[in-house]
Amino acid sequence: MNYLAVIDLGSNSTRMVIEELDESGQFTEIKRRKIDTRMAQGMDQNGGNLTSDAMKRVLEALVIFQQEYEAYPEIEIEGIATAAVREANNQADFLAQVYDTIGVDIRVLTGDQEAYYDYLGAMCALDVDNAWLLDTGGASVELVGIEDRMAANFISLPFGAVNLSEKFQLNEDTINPDKLEAATDYVETQYERLPWINEAQEAEALPIILLGGANRSLARLDRLRQGYDMSQDFHGYTMSAEAVLETFHEMTNASRQEREAVLGEEANRADIIVSGLLPLMALIQATNAKEVIFSASGVREGLLQEYRMSLDAE
């Protein structure tokens, strides 16, 4: 048996998945870990640099992961980083610290690469021919237009749950309506610059496939309210756009303490849940989508799919 660990240095959380590869070339997930590290936090106020506190949090998480994956014999390690590291002025210094700490070279994905891996991961796990795909991270969103299961258009945009929250002060105890309106206008303006989004107003309404932490929180919250078994995976779960909008408005009208109570085990997202759902709200309005579909398979699974295809080609 061979083992592969994928480490993902995201803008809001640091993640690891360990996969076992059998003789037939099939991967089986044997461990998945996530630690909230808020890597993008404070970047704007720090001159576009990752803060020392944020880097420390990530390095501490990586040491924990290392202790776990080193228990597997001859394991191969793949490390990737996304928007926060991609945009950081002190990227080289941080990556050197990562290498000195765990001895792993981290590949910084471009925005297009991140969107492509999201698409690849979702398509290998969902039976959907035509859709939008939205991955809302801490410092970026990846948006893909899918036609006949092919990525017709894709882009990465430089806003996400953490930096939107900081930029428009959506992390305060109560959400200021004027600040929320300003944030909404900002996101909508970014979408309006994409001709393939504008064309959606006159086209058939397509579902939106959702990835990213805030969207996962939305799925778990709705499943809890519907009485579903929370030990089961939310992959493939659907919500109507109307229900999504109702939940968003509930969050915008709640105090931070009330948001924490609603989110339960994910109460630490109370300060970024509104900003994390905002890109989805704007996309629903822009595309007239009637339904969303949640995917547990994204960029890391896309990497695994590529890895598997490279083995098949050998």
Side-chain angles (χ1 to χ4, degrees), residues 217 220-221 224-225 230 251 256-270 273:
S217 295
R220 293 187 182 104
L221 175 59
L224 179 65
R225 289 176 166 178
M230 298 306 291
M251 291 295 179
R256 179 166 176 167
Q257 185 175 12
E258 289 169 336
R259 295 194 298 273
E260 289 176 349
V262 169
L263 292 170
E265 293 182 0
E266 297 188 324
N268 62 332
R269 287 189 174 274
I273 189 63

mmCIF file of all heavy atoms in Angstrom, residues 217 220-221 224-225 230 251 256-270 273:
data_model
loop_
_atom_site.group_PDB
_atom_site.id
_atom_site.type_symbol
_atom_site.label_atom_id
_atom_site.label_comp_id
_atom_site.label_asym_id
_atom_site.label_seq_id
_atom_site.Cartn_x
_atom_site.Cartn_y
_atom_site.Cartn_z
ATOM 1 N N SER A 217 -20.813 25.414 6.343
ATOM 2 C CA SER A 217 -21.555 25.760 7.559
ATOM 3 C C SER A 217 -23.041 25.911 7.255
ATOM 4 O O SER A 217 -23.900 25.511 8.052
ATOM 5 C CB SER A 217 -21.013 27.060 8.164
ATOM 6 O OG SER A 217 -19.688 26.900 8.611
ATOM 7 N N ARG A 220 -24.550 22.396 6.916
ATOM 8 C CA ARG A 220 -24.704 21.720 8.206
ATOM 9 C C ARG A 220 -25.832 22.326 9.026
ATOM 10 O O ARG A 220 -26.600 21.618 9.687
ATOM 11 C CB ARG A 220 -23.387 21.788 8.977
ATOM 12 C CG ARG A 220 -22.259 20.982 8.320
ATOM 13 C CD ARG A 220 -21.032 20.929 9.204
ATOM 14 N NE ARG A 220 -19.953 20.210 8.555
ATOM 15 C CZ ARG A 220 -18.885 20.784 8.008
ATOM 16 N NH1 ARG A 220 -18.754 22.103 8.035
ATOM 17 N NH2 ARG A 220 -17.943 20.060 7.431
ATOM 18 N N LEU A 221 -25.955 23.653 8.973
ATOM 19 C CA LEU A 221 -27.014 24.323 9.711
ATOM 20 C C LEU A 221 -28.384 23.899 9.199
ATOM 21 O O LEU A 221 -29.290 23.579 9.987
ATOM 22 C CB LEU A 221 -26.843 25.846 9.600
ATOM 23 C CG LEU A 221 -27.957 26.697 10.219
ATOM 24 C CD1 LEU A 221 -28.100 26.400 11.700
ATOM 25 C CD2 LEU A 221 -27.678 28.177 9.982
ATOM 26 N N LEU A 224 -29.187 20.291 10.132
ATOM 27 C CA LEU A 224 -29.547 20.201 11.547
ATOM 28 C C LEU A 224 -30.999 20.590 11.758
ATOM 29 O O LEU A 224 -31.752 19.915 12.471
ATOM 30 C CB LEU A 224 -28.621 21.095 12.369
ATOM 31 C CG LEU A 224 -28.877 21.140 13.881
ATOM 32 C CD1 LEU A 224 -28.623 19.769 14.497
ATOM 33 C CD2 LEU A 224 -27.990 22.195 14.537
ATOM 34 N N ARG A 225 -31.400 21.678 11.114
ATOM 35 C CA ARG A 225 -32.770 22.166 11.273
ATOM 36 C C ARG A 225 -33.793 21.223 10.642
ATOM 37 O O ARG A 225 -34.949 21.174 11.069
ATOM 38 C CB ARG A 225 -32.886 23.564 10.665
ATOM 39 C CG ARG A 225 -32.154 24.622 11.490
ATOM 40 C CD ARG A 225 -32.184 25.975 10.827
ATOM 41 N NE ARG A 225 -31.783 27.018 11.769
ATOM 42 C CZ ARG A 225 -31.687 28.302 11.457
ATOM 43 N NH1 ARG A 225 -31.952 28.713 10.223
ATOM 44 N NH2 ARG A 225 -31.318 29.176 12.371
ATOM 45 N N MET A 230 -26.503 14.137 11.632
ATOM 46 C CA MET A 230 -25.352 15.005 11.420
ATOM 47 C C MET A 230 -24.049 14.232 11.273
ATOM 48 O O MET A 230 -23.021 14.803 10.913
ATOM 49 C CB MET A 230 -25.242 16.018 12.555
ATOM 50 C CG MET A 230 -26.452 16.945 12.642
ATOM 51 S SD MET A 230 -26.801 17.787 11.062
ATOM 52 C CE MET A 230 -25.385 18.875 10.957
ATOM 53 N N MET A 251 -29.019 35.718 9.502
ATOM 54 C CA MET A 251 -27.681 35.986 10.032
ATOM 55 C C MET A 251 -27.374 37.482 10.061
ATOM 56 O O MET A 251 -26.762 37.984 11.017
ATOM 57 C CB MET A 251 -26.625 35.265 9.185
ATOM 58 C CG MET A 251 -26.656 33.762 9.316
ATOM 59 S SD MET A 251 -26.223 33.203 10.979
ATOM 60 C CE MET A 251 -26.388 31.437 10.784
ATOM 61 N N ARG A 256 -23.866 39.013 17.126
ATOM 62 C CA ARG A 256 -22.812 37.997 17.057
ATOM 63 C C ARG A 256 -23.088 36.849 18.020
ATOM 64 O O ARG A 256 -22.888 35.680 17.687
ATOM 65 C CB ARG A 256 -21.454 38.629 17.363
ATOM 66 C CG ARG A 256 -20.304 37.626 17.341
ATOM 67 C CD ARG A 256 -18.966 38.313 17.313
ATOM 68 N NE ARG A 256 -17.868 37.362 17.389
ATOM 69 C CZ ARG A 256 -16.604 37.661 17.138
ATOM 70 N NH1 ARG A 256 -16.281 38.896 16.801
ATOM 71 N NH2 ARG A 256 -15.655 36.752 17.247
ATOM 72 N N GLN A 257 -23.577 37.173 19.203
ATOM 73 C CA GLN A 257 -23.892 36.135 20.178
ATOM 74 C C GLN A 257 -24.993 35.215 19.649
ATOM 75 O O GLN A 257 -24.936 33.989 19.827
ATOM 76 C CB GLN A 257 -24.322 36.764 21.506
ATOM 77 C CG GLN A 257 -24.564 35.759 22.625
ATOM 78 C CD GLN A 257 -24.877 36.433 23.953
ATOM 79 O OE1 GLN A 257 -25.140 37.635 24.012
ATOM 80 N NE2 GLN A 257 -24.847 35.659 25.024
ATOM 81 N N GLU A 258 -25.967 35.795 18.982
ATOM 82 C CA GLU A 258 -27.053 34.991 18.412
ATOM 83 C C GLU A 258 -26.527 34.126 17.259
ATOM 84 O O GLU A 258 -26.936 32.969 17.106
ATOM 85 C CB GLU A 258 -28.174 35.897 17.935
ATOM 86 C CG GLU A 258 -28.951 36.557 19.079
ATOM 87 C CD GLU A 258 -29.881 37.655 18.604
ATOM 88 O OE1 GLU A 258 -29.628 38.233 17.517
ATOM 89 O OE2 GLU A 258 -30.867 37.940 19.321
ATOM 90 N N ARG A 259 -25.608 34.675 16.456
ATOM 91 C CA ARG A 259 -25.016 33.880 15.373
ATOM 92 C C ARG A 259 -24.211 32.713 15.940
ATOM 93 O O ARG A 259 -24.242 31.609 15.394
ATOM 94 C CB ARG A 259 -24.137 34.765 14.481
ATOM 95 C CG ARG A 259 -24.915 35.843 13.714
ATOM 96 C CD ARG A 259 -24.090 36.472 12.597
ATOM 97 N NE ARG A 259 -22.902 37.161 13.056
ATOM 98 C CZ ARG A 259 -22.865 38.440 13.447
ATOM 99 N NH1 ARG A 259 -23.995 39.162 13.431
ATOM 100 N NH2 ARG A 259 -21.736 39.008 13.830
ATOM 101 N N GLU A 260 -23.485 32.963 17.013
ATOM 102 C CA GLU A 260 -22.725 31.892 17.658
ATOM 103 C C GLU A 260 -23.649 30.783 18.132
ATOM 104 O O GLU A 260 -23.351 29.591 17.971
ATOM 105 C CB GLU A 260 -21.931 32.458 18.841
ATOM 106 C CG GLU A 260 -20.754 33.343 18.435
ATOM 107 C CD GLU A 260 -20.064 33.954 19.633
ATOM 108 O OE1 GLU A 260 -20.619 33.858 20.759
ATOM 109 O OE2 GLU A 260 -18.971 34.528 19.461
ATOM 110 N N ALA A 261 -24.780 31.163 18.724
ATOM 111 C CA ALA A 261 -25.731 30.165 19.226
ATOM 112 C C ALA A 261 -26.307 29.334 18.082
ATOM 113 O O ALA A 261 -26.452 28.112 18.197
ATOM 114 C CB ALA A 261 -26.851 30.854 20.007
ATOM 115 N N VAL A 262 -26.619 29.996 16.972
ATOM 116 C CA VAL A 262 -27.185 29.290 15.821
ATOM 117 C C VAL A 262 -26.162 28.342 15.213
ATOM 118 O O VAL A 262 -26.478 27.203 14.839
ATOM 119 C CB VAL A 262 -27.671 30.303 14.761
ATOM 120 C CG1 VAL A 262 -28.001 29.595 13.449
ATOM 121 C CG2 VAL A 262 -28.899 31.048 15.267
ATOM 122 N N LEU A 263 -24.908 28.775 15.119
ATOM 123 C CA LEU A 263 -23.870 27.973 14.475
ATOM 124 C C LEU A 263 -23.397 26.813 15.347
ATOM 125 O O LEU A 263 -22.809 25.858 14.833
ATOM 126 C CB LEU A 263 -22.683 28.857 14.090
ATOM 127 C CG LEU A 263 -22.963 29.863 12.970
ATOM 128 C CD1 LEU A 263 -21.811 30.848 12.828
ATOM 129 C CD2 LEU A 263 -23.202 29.137 11.646
ATOM 130 N N GLY A 264 -23.608 26.887 16.653
ATOM 131 C CA GLY A 264 -23.279 25.771 17.527
ATOM 132 C C GLY A 264 -21.805 25.427 17.512
ATOM 133 O O GLY A 264 -20.958 26.229 17.905
ATOM 134 N N GLU A 265 -21.462 24.229 17.058
ATOM 135 C CA GLU A 265 -20.079 23.773 17.046
ATOM 136 C C GLU A 265 -19.186 24.625 16.152
ATOM 137 O O GLU A 265 -17.963 24.588 16.294
ATOM 138 C CB GLU A 265 -20.013 22.307 16.596
ATOM 139 C CG GLU A 265 -20.645 21.336 17.578
ATOM 140 C CD GLU A 265 -20.519 19.901 17.129
ATOM 141 O OE1 GLU A 265 -19.931 19.672 16.047
ATOM 142 O OE2 GLU A 265 -20.991 19.008 17.844
ATOM 143 N N GLU A 266 -19.776 25.371 15.248
ATOM 144 C CA GLU A 266 -18.998 26.236 14.361
ATOM 145 C C GLU A 266 -19.146 27.703 14.759
ATOM 146 O O GLU A 266 -19.091 28.604 13.922
ATOM 147 C CB GLU A 266 -19.425 26.029 12.912
ATOM 148 C CG GLU A 266 -19.140 24.607 12.423
ATOM 149 C CD GLU A 266 -19.372 24.452 10.938
ATOM 150 O OE1 GLU A 266 -20.309 25.083 10.409
ATOM 151 O OE2 GLU A 266 -18.613 23.699 10.312
ATOM 152 N N ALA A 267 -19.322 27.942 16.056
ATOM 153 C CA ALA A 267 -19.517 29.300 16.567
ATOM 154 C C ALA A 267 -18.342 30.213 16.249
ATOM 155 O O ALA A 267 -18.496 31.435 16.174
ATOM 156 C CB ALA A 267 -19.758 29.265 18.067
ATOM 157 N N ASN A 268 -17.154 29.641 16.035
ATOM 158 C CA ASN A 268 -15.989 30.468 15.714
ATOM 159 C C ASN A 268 -16.105 31.130 14.346
ATOM 160 O O ASN A 268 -15.298 32.001 14.004
ATOM 161 C CB ASN A 268 -14.707 29.639 15.782
ATOM 162 C CG ASN A 268 -14.680 28.501 14.771
ATOM 163 O OD1 ASN A 268 -15.735 27.986 14.373
ATOM 164 N ND2 ASN A 268 -13.499 28.093 14.359
ATOM 165 N N ARG A 269 -17.110 30.765 13.578
ATOM 166 C CA ARG A 269 -17.352 31.415 12.281
ATOM 167 C C ARG A 269 -18.351 32.565 12.378
ATOM 168 O O ARG A 269 -18.690 33.162 11.366
ATOM 169 C CB ARG A 269 -17.866 30.400 11.259
ATOM 170 C CG ARG A 269 -16.817 29.428 10.756
ATOM 171 C CD ARG A 269 -17.348 28.596 9.601
ATOM 172 N NE ARG A 269 -16.307 27.768 9.028
ATOM 173 C CZ ARG A 269 -15.465 28.160 8.080
ATOM 174 N NH1 ARG A 269 -15.561 29.376 7.583
ATOM 175 N NH2 ARG A 269 -14.534 27.345 7.622
ATOM 176 N N ALA A 270 -18.800 32.881 13.572
ATOM 177 C CA ALA A 270 -19.845 33.890 13.726
ATOM 178 C C ALA A 270 -19.421 35.247 13.179
ATOM 179 O O ALA A 270 -20.262 36.029 12.710
ATOM 180 C CB ALA A 270 -20.246 34.018 15.187
ATOM 181 N N ILE A 273 -19.410 34.624 9.028
ATOM 182 C CA ILE A 273 -20.449 33.881 8.326
ATOM 183 C C ILE A 273 -21.215 34.774 7.344
ATOM 184 O O ILE A 273 -21.554 34.346 6.233
ATOM 185 C CB ILE A 273 -21.425 33.192 9.318
ATOM 186 C CG1 ILE A 273 -22.374 32.253 8.574
ATOM 187 C CG2 ILE A 273 -22.190 34.205 10.152
ATOM 188 C CD1 ILE A 273 -21.687 31.088 7.880
#
